[in-house]
Amino acid sequence: MVDALRTAGHEATVLDDLSSGRRENLPSDAPLELLDVRTPEAARLAEEGGFDALLHLAAQMDVRRSTEDPLFDASVNVLGLLNVVGAAVRGGARQVIFASTGGAIYGEQSTHPAPETHPTRPVSPYGVSKLAGERYLDYYHLELGIDVACLRFANVYGERQSPHGEAGVVAIFLERLLSGRPCTIHGDGLQTRDYVHVSDVARATVACLGRPGFRVYNVGTGVETSVVDLYRALAAAAGSDEPPRHGPAKPGEQRRSSVDPSRLLSELGLPRPLALTDGLARTTAWFAARQPAAPERGE
């Protein structure tokens, strides 16, 4: 995101507690404030920093953790959002761009891919907290006149993604495949997701800067890919012929998910998103360049 902002001529100050990110993912000269989004210090930075816009990407993003600890999920995703948004608005910010969710907010879909008009019926506390964030931002728009863009991200993957903690399946599989370790698919692996490359997410976010009004956009590809097919593609890209293992299905996991990005592409004039095969090739090359050599079999 910082790279995309700088390319577009913007300056950015980063607020992050590095609970899942890493400092080396940022340009070495990027200002970084090590803060929890829920703290008074974070609010002070948002209010006194002189920012024109707030790009709110901070989140507790693990669906399973949200079901185990909905109070923590809400404290980060709802109270953390309100903490910094209210402060940024007091400090003069005129726009908020919010990282929402394109999968969890729709729940089990009746239409594939889901347009933004699809009913929002989340089936996890994570999805509920993201929907609450959108509703709060609609209030700020109506009452205070700030511009808002809620971006409903599909499953984001790509370079610099961590394979640890709240990781995406692409990063997890690649880290294990490239180190010669087995991968486990939860359930039968026929559950589908819409995988969107991080470059398309960054491009969409930057394109929303300065856009007036209250906007909701899906950020995805509209293409469903099963976990089994994703594994096959990653194994081929990594040069592995190891079959996956299968473990118990995860409770509360949606069966199918994909979002329709047509509104985003037409209104913002953006190109079609990167094809999954091309995105996986780029991502695999990045991981492979940073991965220790896999041990020889038998060692």
Side-chain angles (χ1 to χ4, degrees):
M1 189 63 67
V2 175
D3 290 342
L5 288 167
R6 288 186 168 190
T7 299
H10 302 288
E11 298 178 1
T13 296
V14 180
L15 186 158
D16 201 320
D17 65 358
L18 296 187
S19 57
S20 60
R22 295 181 297 174
R23 180 65 178 86
E24 54 265 35
N25 285 344
L26 292 170
S28 59
D29 61 341
L32 171 64
E33 300 288 342
L34 288 170
L35 296 171
D36 187 311
V37 74
R38 298 168 292 179
T39 61
E41 292 79 12
R44 187 175 305 114
L45 174 66
E47 184 171 358
E48 299 176 359
F51 305 115
D52 299 314
L54 173 69
L55 277 59
H56 191 83
L57 309 172
Q60 188 302 112
M61 64 182 212
D62 188 323
V63 171
R64 289 185 288 273
R65 183 172 185 182
S66 80
T67 62
E68 296 165 359
D69 193 352
L71 185 61
F72 174 74
D73 183 83
S75 74
V76 176
N77 292 352
V78 179
L79 299 183
L81 171 69
L82 296 179
N83 186 46
V84 291
V85 168
V89 171
R90 291 193 300 272
R94 301 308 306 159
Q95 185 179 29
V96 176
I97 299 177
F98 175 54
S100 187
T101 171
I105 207 165
Y106 296 123
E108 293 297 344
Q109 296 173 209
S110 54
T111 303
H112 299 273
E116 290 86 351
T117 53
H118 189 285
T120 51
R121 45 194 184 209
V123 294
S124 67
Y126 169 74
V128 170
S129 69
K130 286 296 186 178
L131 181 57
E134 290 190 7
R135 295 290 185 262
Y136 273 112
L137 290 171
D138 188 34
Y139 159 77
Y140 277 103
H141 168 68
L142 293 172
E143 294 299 315
L144 302 177
I146 65 167
D147 299 318
V148 173
C150 298
L151 303 183
R152 293 175 175 173
F153 295 160
N155 283 57
V156 185
Y157 73 96
E159 300 89 323
R160 307 185 201 176
Q161 189 171 36
S162 170
H164 308 294
E166 301 172 348
V169 65
V170 171
I172 293 171
F173 282 174
L174 275 178
E175 193 264 347
R176 299 188 71 85
L177 283 166
L178 291 168
S179 62
R181 292 182 290 162
C183 297
T184 299
I185 293 175
H186 299 291
D188 60 14
L190 299 182
Q191 60 269 36
T192 65
R193 295 294 182 267
D194 183 343
Y195 296 97
V196 61
H197 191 263
V198 65
S199 63
D200 290 307
V201 171
R203 182 185 296 113
T205 305
V206 173
C208 287
L209 281 170
R211 300 269 175 169
F214 181 89
R215 298 164 182 263
V216 177
Y217 293 120
N218 288 329
V219 184
T221 70
V223 177
E224 290 181 76
T225 302
S226 72
V227 178
V228 167
D229 287 340
L230 178 72
Y231 177 83
R232 289 172 180 157
L234 286 170
S240 172
D241 58 2
E242 288 292 330
R245 300 174 178 177
H246 285 264
K250 293 293 185 179
E253 187 173 38
Q254 290 174 232
R255 190 63 177 170
R256 297 176 64 190
S257 178
S258 61
V259 300
D260 182 355
S262 299
R263 177 189 291 180
L264 174 82
L265 302 183
S266 62
E267 291 189 11
L268 301 186
L270 296 177
R272 290 293 307 174
L274 191 66
L276 183 62
T277 52
D278 296 332
L280 293 182
R282 282 176 48 171
T283 306
T284 302
W286 187 90
F287 271 82
R290 290 155 180 82
Q291 185 72 32
E296 293 294 332
R297 294 190 183 187
E299 288 187 4

